[in-house]
Amino acid sequence: MRLVPGTDTVPNAVNKYLLPHEHQVITVRKHPAVLLKPILIVLLGLVIAAVISTTVARHEAGVVGFVWIAWLILLLYLVGKVIEWSQDYFIVTSRRMLLATGVVTRKVAMMPLVKVTDMSFQRSTLGRLLGYGEFILESAGQDQALRVVDHLPYPEQLYLEVCGLIFPGKPENDDDDL
């Protein structure tokens, strides 16, 4: 039973990280809540720019121009974060977990499923309200390239799906009565 939605719309950019003998099981973007902070910064900047424009406009036109240029820089920051969000993926294959991040400099962190000794997820209050959580992965190795994966959507379902891959159960058609 598949608990996580299908991965039919995954871009080909993700497929280049797959080995020939593995197949993709789960591929998700981080929850859009990761964009809340940049959005709030841009909105706060807009309010400040509007207040300064209305109070200082009659006296200092140069200051008003500078304030709006600063706000445009904040807006470009938000656009960059949205592009980054659209390119970042958490991928679980039949053998590994990968976190592909970055636009200009691409980073792919990986952990083999057989090396995972412990996996848990946690949800903050905001995460419970908005529907995201965080995975914490541990392995026997000292230095881990992939330890924390934050802002994952529907973490309970992802957790069950990944645990099913890490700890496969007995096939349902096994006859123990024989």
Side-chain angles (χ1 to χ4, degrees):
M1 176 173 79
R2 171 74 39 137
L3 298 173
V4 178
T7 57
D8 297 334
T9 60
V10 175
N12 287 332
V14 170
N15 290 330
K16 67 182 172 185
Y17 303 120
L18 301 182
L19 298 173
H21 60 278
E22 67 185 350
H23 64 278
Q24 191 173 294
V25 178
I26 301 167
T27 300
V28 293
R29 282 190 177 105
K30 289 188 174 188
H31 193 279
V34 76
L35 298 171
L36 281 178
K37 185 177 177 183
I39 289 170
L40 289 175
I41 289 171
V42 168
L43 289 177
L44 181 63
L46 179 62
V47 169
I48 291 170
V51 167
I52 290 173
S53 290
T54 57
T55 58
V56 181
R58 297 180 201 127
H59 308 294
E60 297 288 332
V63 172
V64 173
F66 174 76
V67 167
W68 284 107
I69 289 172
W71 183 77
L72 283 174
I73 291 170
L74 286 178
L75 188 61
L76 289 174
Y77 165 74
L78 174 62
V79 168
K81 288 296 185 181
V82 170
I83 291 169
E84 182 179 324
W85 169 79
S86 73
Q87 298 296 311
D88 292 355
Y89 288 95
F90 175 63
I91 307 151
V92 180
T93 71
S94 55
R95 298 177 183 251
R96 305 179 293 160
M97 282 188 260
L98 300 106
L99 182 62
T101 58
V103 177
V104 177
T105 303
R106 195 75 169 153
K107 177 183 173 189
V108 180
M110 183 272 304
M111 182 180 291
L113 291 177
V114 295
K115 296 285 185 182
V116 177
T117 58
D118 189 26
M119 184 178 99
S120 62
F121 77 90
Q122 61 186 21
R123 296 179 85 177
S124 64
T125 304
L126 187 60
R128 293 180 80 181
L129 288 171
L130 297 178
Y132 68 87
E134 174 181 78
F135 279 13
I136 296 106
L137 307 167
E138 294 187 23
S139 74
Q142 296 294 325
D143 191 19
Q144 302 170 25
L146 184 60
R147 176 164 162 46
V148 176
V149 184
D150 61 349
H151 290 92
L152 287 173
Y154 38 87
E156 287 93 354
Q157 292 89 342
L158 284 173
Y159 178 78
L160 291 173
E161 187 86 19
V162 172
C163 282
L165 290 169
I166 295 172
F167 309 108
K170 256 192 310 185
E172 292 181 18
N173 60 0
D174 276 357
D175 293 328
D176 292 331
D177 300 333
L178 295 180

